[in-house]
Amino acid sequence: MRVAELLNPADPAFARDPHPYYARLRARGPAARVELANGTHAWLVTGYREARAVLADPRFSNVPPRRAGRPKPDSPAERARACLARHMLNSDAPDHTRLRRLTTAAFTPRRVDALRPRIERLAAGLVAGLAAELERHGTADLVDAFAFPLPVLVIGEVLGVPEADRADLREWTYRVGSPADALAPGAVDEAWSALHAYFTALIAEKRRAPGGDLFSALVHDTDEGGLDDAELLAMAFLLLFAGYETTMNLLASAALLLLTHPGERAAALRGGPRRWAAVVEETLRHASPLEGTTWRRTTEPVDLGGGAVLPAGASVLVVLAAANRDPRHFPDPDAFRPGRQLLGGERPAPHAAFGHGPHFCPGARLARLEAAIALPLLFETFPHLTLAADPDELPYRPGLLVRGPRRVPVTPGPRGGVTGLPGRP
Ligand code: HEM
């Protein structure tokens, strides 16, 4: 067996641009064995065809292995972690089938599309706030002022979470998704406990006074096979975490790509909804907001071809960001070229940013809708918006799960000004 490549997801240089590393792995074969900074080994799947094959193959289980060794102390953080980890992304059929059926009913095209006017209003309010901030300070952070709050407000609607609580939720979710050694000691544990306490109280509140939101419907689902309290807790966590941090990264990465590709930005502004949809799809491919799927584990030995024979019990990460830049399926894969997503263009393959197989993202339509509303509104309102930092110096979130810039500072641009603020005469 070849020597395993070292991988340190907390390294800021890797977080900013992991693609050279993934390209090196891919050149060795569709799946490579790596050694993580904590000394454990894993298989990273970086080929596009192999990524889709793994995600559709029941020999790759989503159920996390029981941790060996001494039991962890019975702290509130450990109880929270164990409880919140029982969500459907961590399950296989038949459990997964039941949990998925109960929740995806809420994400039918009709119900998602009905959120459009609400999303338009929320986005318009944020753009007005951004204009005020740019006028006051001459600069603003697109992540803080736009890319973060919009998905939080939208998922807050879906979950029925009060607006005042959303900043806390962002912070806790950010922390639990980061490697423990990238943050101050105890910060990750504190966040697990806080999320557990918050959602426990939210479920109690929904039981007492149900609202019109999806989460209230889940709490009050008394049908056979409905969710118990532990499942509800895990589901709330999953919807929050899966629903906004990914979409935040999609919006932030798309904005950054357009700010650094003026030709593509002008083409989008000229081209209308089809061109904007192509920008969204190309961002999903080029800057995949979910860098890797959740971990899989082989239930038996699997031969992926190209010399990659995975033993039973192997930890496997499907790296969507790498699969989406596989040159065998996407010519000139490192180039950001929305035109390739248009019908009649190259259209070599559908990207895998929303996954594949039984766990394919049930929120894909909602995420696309948010981006299709938010991006044209932002760039039509601020036609001269300019990046106020060196794009190569922007900090990225550490870790292998989600990927996107943590800050995108902007100014109104050399000519300044705002055109056609929504809601203003
Ligand atoms: C750009 C935004 C988004 C991206 C890139 C994304 C991507 C993904 C991917 C790749 C998976 C599969 C993960 C795996 O197989 O391990 C997934 C699952 C999931 N996503 Fe999304 N997602 C996004 C937005 C959303 C939104 C807005 C929601 C809900 C409000 C959502 C809810 C979920 C849920 C519940 C699952 C688990 C499905 C299952 O286990 O069957 N996602 N997402």
Side-chain angles (χ1 to χ4, degrees):
M1 179 174 296
R2 277 176 265 185
V3 179
E5 285 251 7
L6 264 179
L7 171 58
N8 178 9
D11 174 1
F14 175 82
R16 198 174 303 115
D17 185 11
H19 291 288
Y21 177 87
Y22 292 143
R24 227 175 37 244
L25 284 196
R26 206 190 301 102
R28 281 174 43 180
R33 187 165 170 268
V34 303
E35 182 178 345
L36 298 168
N38 64 8
T40 59
H41 287 85
W43 288 81
L44 264 53
V45 181
T46 49
Y48 174 84
R49 198 168 53 82
E50 293 77 11
R52 284 167 59 97
V54 166
L55 293 176
D57 186 335
R59 291 174 299 173
F60 292 83
S61 166
N62 277 51
V63 178
R66 282 178 191 282
R67 284 180 194 280
R70 266 187 306 139
K72 294 258 167 97
D74 184 27
S75 66
E78 269 317 309
R79 279 202 298 278
R81 207 189 305 262
C83 192
L84 294 174
R86 282 188 54 197
H87 57 64
M88 69 172 156
L89 248 177
N90 280 349
S91 67
D92 298 333
D95 277 353
H96 173 257
T97 321
R98 179 179 67 91
L99 293 167
R100 178 140 177 141
R101 185 167 33 82
L102 286 164
T103 40
T104 50
F107 291 99
T108 58
R110 202 165 54 83
R111 291 186 76 160
V112 170
D113 293 349
L115 286 169
R116 175 179 274 278
R118 183 80 195 127
I119 298 173
E120 282 171 349
R121 267 203 308 281
L122 292 169
L126 292 174
V127 162
L130 182 61
E133 200 176 329
L134 286 171
E135 212 166 287
R136 249 194 333 270
H137 305 295
T139 178
D141 175 12
L142 276 188
V143 176
D144 255 13
F146 196 69
F148 157 60
L150 184 63
V152 179
L153 291 170
V154 173
I155 201 68
E157 296 275 322
V158 173
L159 280 178
V161 169
E163 209 164 307
D165 299 345
R166 292 170 194 172
D168 281 345
L169 287 183
R170 175 203 193 184
E171 176 62 23
W172 298 329
T173 310
Y174 172 77
R175 288 199 212 165
V176 300
S178 299
D181 52 3
L183 298 170
V188 174
D189 276 3
E190 258 175 48
W192 279 110
S193 300
L195 270 174
H196 185 271
Y198 183 82
F199 283 132
T200 304
L202 187 72
I203 291 166
E205 177 60 21
K206 301 284 174 197
R207 285 213 191 287
R208 203 181 53 77
D213 51 90
L214 151 75
F215 196 54
S216 290
L218 280 172
V219 170
H220 287 269
D221 187 347
T222 50
D223 289 352
E224 203 190 328
L227 299 174
D228 63 31
D229 266 22
E231 287 170 337
L232 278 170
L233 208 54
M235 186 65 79
F237 169 76
L238 176 63
L239 287 174
L240 166 75
F241 188 65
Y244 86 76
E245 189 137 10
T246 44
T247 315
M248 168 176 110
N249 288 334
L250 170 60
L251 297 178
S253 292
L256 180 59
L257 283 163
L258 291 177
L259 288 166
T260 51
H261 294 74
E264 295 300 347
R265 169 179 170 171
L269 284 167
R270 274 195 316 272
R274 265 184 75 233
R275 188 79 197 187
W276 282 108
V279 167
V280 173
E281 296 312 309
E282 180 67 347
T283 304
L284 285 161
R285 184 197 70 80
H286 185 273
S288 308
L290 208 60
E291 186 166 335
T293 60
T294 48
W295 289 92
R296 295 330 197 233
R297 202 162 47 95
T298 46
T299 55
E300 56 185 85
V302 180
D303 185 348
L304 277 183
V309 182
L310 283 57
S315 297
V316 183
L317 186 71
V318 176
V319 188
L320 298 171
N324 283 335
R325 292 208 191 182
D326 185 337
R328 288 173 300 173
H329 295 269
F330 304 100
D332 195 8
D334 295 330
F336 173 69
R337 228 170 40 214
R340 75 169 92 215
Q341 302 290 345
L342 291 168
L343 278 177
E346 307 154 30
R347 296 273 291 187
H351 64 70
F354 288 117
H356 182 65
H359 293 276
F360 180 85
C361 177
R365 193 177 181 98
L366 179 58
R368 285 180 164 126
L369 179 65
E370 286 181 56
I373 292 170
L375 293 170
L377 180 66
L378 180 69
F379 283 97
E380 281 162 12
T381 309
F382 304 104
H384 309 300
L385 203 65
T386 302
L387 186 63
D390 178 347
D392 296 331
E393 297 292 321
L394 292 177
Y396 276 70
R397 196 185 200 300
L400 293 171
L401 187 57
V402 285
R403 177 156 196 280
R406 291 175 62 187
R407 290 189 315 112
V408 180
V410 289
T411 64
R415 276 167 282 178
V418 165
T419 59
L421 250 192
R424 287 197 189 169

